[in-house]
Amino acid sequence: MDLHFGDSKPTDEERAAIDALLGPPESAWEGAADRTDADLRWARGGRAARERRDLLLPGLHAVNDRVGWISEGALDYLCRRLTVPPAEAYGVATFYSMFAVKPRPATVVHVCTDLACAARGSASVCASLAARLGPAGTPVAGGAVWEESPCLGLCERAPAALVVRAGVSPDESARPAFEDNPLEAGGSLTGRSGAGDQNGPGDSLLAALSGQEPEPRERQRATAVIAPATAEAIALAAAAPEAATPEPAAALAVPQAGQDGLILLRRVGVVDPENLDDYRANGGYEALRRAFKLGPAGVIREVTEAGLLGRGGAAFPTGRKWSATAAQPDHPHYLVCNADESEPGTFKDRVLMEGDPYSLIEAMTIAGYATGAHLGYLYLRGEYPRALRRLEHAISQARARGLLGPDVLGQGYAFDIEIRRGAGAYICGEETALFNSIEGYRGEPRSKPPFPVEKGLFGKPTAENNVETLVNVLPILTMGAQAYAAIGTEKSTGPKLFCVSGNVERPGIYELPFGATLGDLLDLAGKPARLRAVLLGGAAGGFVRPDELDIPLTFEGTREAGTTLGSGVVLALDDSVPLPRMLLRIAEFFRDESCGQCVPCRVGTVRQEEALHRIADRTGAAAAEDINLLREVGAAMKDASICGLGQTAWNAVESAIDRLGAYE
Amino acid sequence: MTAPAQPRPTSASVPVSLGLPRRLVEFTLDEQPVRVPEGSTILDACKAAGKDIPTLCQGDTLTPKNACRVCVVEVEGARTLAPACSRKAEPAMVVRTDTERARHSRKIVLELLASSVDLSTTPQVAGWLKEYEAKPDRFGPDAARLNESPKVDNDLYVRDYDKCILCYKCVDACGDQWQNTFAISVTGRGFDARIAVEHDGPLTESACVYCGNCIEVCPTGALSFKSEYDMRAAGTWDESAQTETTTVCAYCGVGCNLTLHVQDNEIVKVTSPHDNPVTHGNLCIKGRFGYQHVQNRD
């Protein structure tokens, strides 16, 4: 290929951000400022450089993290370094909602307006934020911009906001061990704003409130999670994210924390999530030892006999996926952990990763061992800053202690994990779109067949599992397949995590054995007095009525009831929530998140939203024609879309019409 | 890394090199047993059986992207419909091409497309809209449309994205399937996705080498010759009055076939036969656009 790079040059800042990731350029061929005599005699790059294309997404993050947006010069320089055509890189950069290719302020505030937050007053937060800072999308004094955002996965603390400020990364050594609740952090709050930063949080707060934006060179990267959010707290955090109130401990998202009998959540709130010794003292790495005793085939046999079904929504048998991957003659094999939890109403993976990160590292190691992979990719959604810090820390500790690396536990098995951050795209939770995203392409789903176990990441056999699925492997190995399979029902075995949010008294993550009813779960969480509807499975799931609370929460039980368990979302809505507005929000979500590849989804989601707008205040005969239109378009989306996004984009609306009589 | 997909002509008219004999796959197509060579798609089988399945994003010289979904058929046992253009025939598969479900999806897809983009220069689509009784107007006058104005920034091409159905054929032809120039890509996402060059700038500042292979594969006229665009604007474009003459390009020794489209004794555009083993329909800037000297009569 004969690539054409424009004349735009990166700024020093942008160049430094990219060089920090890729190292300095070796020659003028890949963008070094000075040309040497040697550059005239030979060219490097070619295939070796092209094979680093998977660094495109991390490269875009590097620039966006440092500067706040991606300029032509920065994009062209990154392309030169990686031998990626600029048109393709531009297509990738514009695919993700967290990146901008037009100048914008360094601080971006994402205010969640999705289902759980909408049910708990995000509209009034946005209204008062608009009164305080001006309309969404307009830069405010002090160098920030706020925008409405899809689900941030903070549903138990709704309404929620995430503040991201671009700047220089705090020095690695000065990075604080803990950035949240002092109780959980053992009181360590020193150095939160990073060493080398002469200004304390108070100073920068004053500076920010006086409307000055710090110079890029001294502006430190920071993120702040504000939940539950008020307009005032958001405005303060936008001015000084490093001084925002720390997040509460992950365990506070688990109302059952500390109870006996928990399996998946038993360590959340018990172990220090940043302490490997604590993890080991609480049963950590017992499962991996057992795995080494069993051998790869033995592990797959246990997982198969345990009857583990994938918890990401599709409920595919994990043992079958693993054995199909392990059996592929093509090598290398890859393991991918799908931690791109973006389904509105879902936050269980976040709580697991924040509260018990080592368990995921251990489970990925076991999965890699069983499927014959030596490299695991952990694809984490970009909106989870605390999970990212925890997992980065856990991986480096595991590596330092020989639990990852060339010789795991001295067993001669090499395995390592690389974290890849998403950048705001729900579709990247689709397994093949996720591969494209890691490989540096647009996060568009691939057609199946071929299936990932045959041709997955980089075209190689790949086992992809969701976080909760992987974490289930630990109890399977420690308690044995038989004991595990005895939990739950015959067809849905083991424990299950449910993300309960909306108008309940105690929102959070609940762990129950499969088979408990919806009513049991809502009783635990504090059922709203005037329950109007329950959304099961998130935006891609379906609504059920208050008189259907005896639905057993199993894969087969929900299927028999004509609904789905999906990713375990239980969003309870009382009669204060305007249902047509919720349906509009769901339609808006799918319209925003469609990748645009196939026509039924790209245009169908737009037509669905238009029809719902037309009938927002209508019922009966006045709505009948548009409901008919919705049905016809919905059927085509379900039948003819390439991937699950388009296929499920009409489910919730359909169930609201048919089960709840939304427009009668 | 994955090896780039090998461009393989799929049309029955393309001469096939004589390799090892391929095994035959036997399956049921619309209640009839059919046998096709291993690796054939359902669409290949349909064509061989004389069935007319509408296609828009499928290209005879490109690996199908199966993005438009107008060719969907019903495969027994599958939860969703399958795109005939890219689903390979498998032994014992039971395929139905004309079920109510498949026809419904095709109808809706045609309505969704026709309500959002200008299909006036898309061959055959008017007939399909009629056949499937598609009524694009029923989404109402406020239905979102692309509403793009044509991009005229050079003397050779016009990019009229109001007619673009995002079939990805131009991207594939410019990229690793043929030209390897990678000047165009899909940007943005969802309904806001568009075809664009880097930084969404003018073509003249992009990596484009003006081979015109994207025009060759564009199924809707979203990409067109400036000559055609100007004549259409002036109302003088008349395909029925055009003759097509295939000849050999005189610029170099490769021997590419050129098809000269001539109207009123003027060359109005140049294409290349897709079944030609040298070009497979592709040309370079000289073959595609360098014809003015032929009609310089001074």
Side-chain angles (χ1 to χ4, degrees):
Chain A
M1 51 187 167
D2 175 26
L3 296 184
H4 169 273
F5 304 102
D7 298 329
S8 318
K9 293 278 175 280
T11 63
D12 291 348
E13 195 78 14
E14 291 162 347
R15 184 184 284 272
I18 292 168
D19 289 351
L21 176 78
L22 303 175
E26 285 185 7
S27 72
W29 292 100
E30 52 168 341
D34 300 313
R35 195 171 70 178
T36 65
D37 286 349
D39 291 339
L40 298 173
R41 290 182 172 75
W42 68 77
R44 278 189 214 110
R47 191 174 186 84
R50 278 200 293 286
E51 283 180 353
R52 297 203 298 169
R53 173 155 184 164
D54 65 301
L55 291 172
L56 181 60
L57 184 57
L60 293 172
H61 267 300
V63 176
N64 199 65
D65 284 350
R66 178 78 70 103
V67 187
W69 68 285
I70 298 157
S71 71
E72 284 189 27
L75 192 70
D76 280 354
Y77 179 62
L78 181 61
C79 287
R80 202 183 276 274
R81 295 298 313 274
L82 297 172
T83 331
V84 171
E88 287 193 358
Y90 183 78
V92 172
T94 54
F95 187 83
Y96 297 99
S97 66
M98 294 179 90
F99 295 149
V101 292
K102 299 247 157 42
R104 67 172 174 188
T107 306
V108 181
V109 182
H110 307 269
V111 183
C112 181
T113 55
D114 225 319
L115 306 177
C117 288
R120 290 181 86 104
S122 65
S124 72
V125 171
C126 286
S128 66
L129 201 57
R132 193 179 286 255
L133 299 179
T138 315
V140 299
V145 63
W146 77 278
E147 51 191 44
E148 295 185 0
S149 153
C151 184
L152 292 169
L154 297 158
C155 317
E156 86 279 14
R157 286 181 272 148
L162 169 69
V163 180
V164 180
R165 186 177 67 192
V168 182
S169 167
D171 184 24
E172 205 63 41
S173 61
R175 186 178 281 191
F178 291 94
E179 292 198 19
D180 42 22
N181 197 316
L183 292 174
E184 188 181 357
S188 162
L189 277 173
T190 47
R192 170 136 31 87
S193 57
D197 181 8
Q198 297 303 309
N199 306 323
D203 292 341
S204 52
L205 177 60
L206 282 178
L209 289 175
S210 67
Q212 304 165 342
E213 185 171 9
E215 287 297 308
R217 288 202 174 281
E218 52 193 63
R219 194 182 59 224
Q220 290 240 341
R221 238 181 96 187
T223 54
V225 168
I226 319 294
T230 59
E232 189 180 24
I234 295 172
L236 277 173
E242 73 283 1
T245 313
E247 276 192 78
L252 291 181
V254 182
Q256 298 165 308
Q259 280 181 19
D260 284 342
L262 295 180
I263 296 173
L264 303 174
L265 296 173
R266 74 186 175 100
R267 274 187 289 256
V268 177
V270 173
V271 297
D272 176 347
E274 306 240 352
N275 189 329
L276 180 51
D277 289 320
D278 206 15
Y279 176 69
R280 295 179 79 151
N282 281 283
Y285 282 99
E286 275 172 25
L288 182 62
R289 283 177 202 285
R290 172 109 202 282
F292 282 130
K293 283 204 189 86
L294 292 168
V299 174
I300 293 176
R301 194 178 55 240
E302 287 284 301
V303 170
T304 307
E305 282 174 9
L308 176 62
L309 299 180
R311 307 291 202 240
F316 190 82
T318 306
R320 252 171 67 196
K321 189 184 277 184
W322 286 14
S323 64
T325 310
Q328 292 294 323
D330 195 9
H331 280 275
H333 293 183
Y334 290 105
L335 172 78
V336 172
C337 171
N338 185 345
D340 189 68
E341 177 179 60
S342 310
E343 180 67 42
T346 317
F347 51 102
K348 61 196 168 79
D349 293 348
R350 190 199 89 230
V351 172
L352 279 175
M353 291 186 287
E354 290 180 347
D356 192 12
Y358 289 101
S359 67
L360 179 58
I361 307 301
E362 182 185 357
M364 282 181 71
T365 313
I366 294 168
Y369 177 65
T371 55
H374 296 287
L375 184 56
Y377 283 89
L378 203 173
Y379 190 91
L380 179 68
R381 73 177 302 207
E383 291 90 340
Y384 281 177
R386 181 161 69 172
L388 176 68
R389 281 198 301 274
R390 292 266 160 90
L391 288 164
E392 277 177 342
H393 177 80
I395 288 172
S396 71
Q397 292 298 300
R399 216 176 266 151
R401 300 275 289 275
L403 294 163
L404 285 175
D407 186 15
V408 176
L409 272 176
Q411 296 287 320
Y413 167 63
F415 186 72
D416 215 327
I417 295 174
E418 216 172 285
I419 297 181
R420 286 304 165 90
R421 267 160 84 198
Y426 169 74
I427 184 60
C428 290
E430 199 280 339
E431 55 180 352
T432 58
L434 192 157
F435 299 149
N436 278 334
S437 181
I438 292 180
E439 291 178 21
Y441 294 90
R442 291 164 55 80
E444 291 169 352
R446 304 173 182 172
S447 321
K448 295 186 274 190
F451 291 93
V453 293
E454 199 186 323
K455 286 192 190 304
L457 187 62
F458 302 116
K460 298 294 178 183
T462 304
E464 180 176 338
N465 294 112
N466 144 282
V467 173
E468 186 191 347
T469 315
L470 286 167
V471 169
N472 266 281
V473 172
L474 305 178
I476 289 175
L477 292 184
T478 50
M479 68 204 302
Q482 301 309 323
Y484 179 92
I487 304 167
T489 64
E490 197 186 330
K491 287 183 179 153
S492 301
T493 58
K496 174 79 191 101
L497 298 182
F498 295 97
C499 316
V500 188
S501 61
N503 310 116
V504 293
E505 281 163 40
R506 291 171 297 279
I509 301 294
Y510 287 84
E511 177 182 323
L512 289 174
F514 273 114
T517 65
L518 182 55
D520 298 339
L521 179 60
L522 285 178
D523 286 342
L524 273 179
K527 193 168 78 171
R530 296 192 312 275
L531 184 66
R532 167 80 170 94
V534 179
L535 180 62
L536 273 185
F543 285 98
V544 297
R545 290 187 307 272
D547 62 354
E548 297 180 294
L549 297 187
D550 55 349
I551 293 179
L553 295 173
T554 57
F555 293 118
E556 66 279 13
T558 46
R559 202 180 307 126
E560 268 167 39
T563 181
T564 175
L565 206 54
S567 53
V569 170
V570 175
L571 177 68
L573 301 175
D574 66 17
D575 58 8
S576 71
V577 178
L579 199 56
R581 187 168 296 174
M582 286 303 254
L583 298 183
L584 257 177
R585 176 62 198 147
I586 290 173
E588 187 189 321
F589 174 81
F590 283 109
R591 188 255 293 141
D592 270 349
E593 298 294 341
S594 167
C595 78
Q597 194 183 8
C598 70
V599 176
C601 179
R602 179 176 77 232
V603 190
T605 52
V606 173
R607 299 288 176 254
Q608 170 170 284
E609 192 194 358
E610 288 168 351
L612 287 173
H613 264 293
R614 283 196 293 270
I615 57 172
D617 306 314
R618 286 193 234 154
T619 51
E625 196 180 325
D626 275 315
I627 286 177
N628 186 44
L629 197 69
L630 281 166
R631 281 190 202 284
E632 289 201 25
V633 173
M637 284 200 279
K638 203 177 268 194
D639 270 345
S641 296
I642 291 180
C643 80
L645 189 150
Q647 288 159 12
T648 59
W650 142 253
N651 280 3
V653 179
E654 181 182 31
S655 67
I657 292 169
D658 290 344
R659 288 177 103 108
L660 303 180
Y663 297 101
E664 277 167 16
Chain B
M1 298 290 284
T2 40
Q6 281 293 317
R8 183 176 297 142
T10 49
S11 159
S13 63
V14 175
V16 180
S17 64
L18 293 174
L20 288 170
R22 284 192 291 173
R23 277 190 298 180
L24 291 178
V25 173
E26 193 168 338
F27 72 105
T28 307
L29 184 65
D30 288 333
E31 324 294 338
Q32 298 292 318
V34 291
R35 299 169 81 191
V36 290
E38 196 174 26
S40 303
T41 62
I42 294 173
L43 186 67
D44 294 333
C46 289
K47 281 183 179 164
K51 290 179 194 299
D52 185 25
I53 307 277
T55 59
L56 281 168
C57 73
Q58 190 266 347
D60 55 353
T61 62
L62 295 160
T63 304
K65 186 75 182 169
N66 66 75
C68 78
R69 318 303 277 187
V70 78
C71 69
V72 286
V73 295
E74 203 164 334
V75 177
E76 201 170 277
R79 192 170 43 86
T80 56
L81 301 175
C85 69
S86 58
R87 177 61 61 83
K88 299 264 190 295
E90 292 162 29
M93 208 180 212
V94 178
V95 178
R96 291 184 184 86
T97 63
D98 213 32
T99 61
E100 205 183 320
R101 220 175 131 203
R103 290 186 67 89
H104 172 79
S105 277
R106 284 182 214 154
K107 171 188 151 182
I108 296 288
V109 163
L110 288 167
E111 285 179 343
L112 293 174
L113 276 178
S115 64
S116 55
V117 296
D118 171 8
L119 295 179
S120 62
T121 50
T122 307
Q124 287 188 285
V125 85
W128 293 329
L129 287 169
K130 208 171 158 193
E131 181 190 340
Y132 288 94
E133 294 170 7
K135 296 184 187 66
D137 294 341
R138 68 190 179 122
F139 298 114
D142 297 330
R145 288 185 65 86
L146 257 57
N147 284 331
E148 301 272 312
S149 31
K151 290 179 196 281
V152 189
D153 52 16
N154 66 87
D155 287 339
L156 304 182
Y157 288 42
V158 176
R159 298 180 286 159
D160 186 357
Y161 291 134
D162 201 34
K163 293 177 173 175
C164 176
I165 60 165
L166 278 182
C167 69
Y168 289 67
K169 281 161 93 170
C170 58
V171 178
D172 289 342
C174 189
D176 62 0
Q177 292 196 25
W178 289 116
Q179 182 63 26
N180 274 281
T181 292
F182 301 93
I184 39 184
S185 166
V186 180
T187 68
R189 71 177 189 214
F191 198 72
D192 298 326
R194 296 285 185 277
I195 303 289
V197 298
E198 61 265 37
H199 316 304
D200 202 12
L203 205 63
T204 46
E205 285 172 23
S206 76
C208 176
V209 298
Y210 303 92
C211 63
N213 292 336
C214 54
I215 303 180
E216 183 78 50
V217 297
C218 179
T220 63
L223 298 171
S224 68
F225 288 80
K226 178 81 165 24
S227 52
E228 177 176 343
Y229 177 81
D230 288 343
M231 288 173 75
R232 281 186 189 275
T236 55
W237 182 260
D238 182 4
E239 255 165 67
S240 64
Q242 292 171 8
T243 57
E244 294 179 16
T245 308
T246 298
T247 179
V248 178
C249 182
Y251 275 108
C252 75
V254 170
C256 301
N257 276 186
L258 306 179
T259 300
L260 308 177
H261 298 244
V262 177
Q263 183 180 331
D264 298 332
N265 214 24
E266 294 273 332
I267 301 171
V268 292
K269 70 172 182 183
V270 176
T271 59
S272 180
H274 289 201
D275 59 358
N276 180 285
V278 178
T279 65
H280 295 289
N282 299 297
L283 292 172
C284 74
I285 179 171
K286 290 193 279 187
R288 182 88 63 190
F289 294 107
Y291 54 77
Q292 278 309 321
H293 68 284
V294 177
Q295 44 209 33
N296 189 345
R297 298 185 178 90
D298 293 335

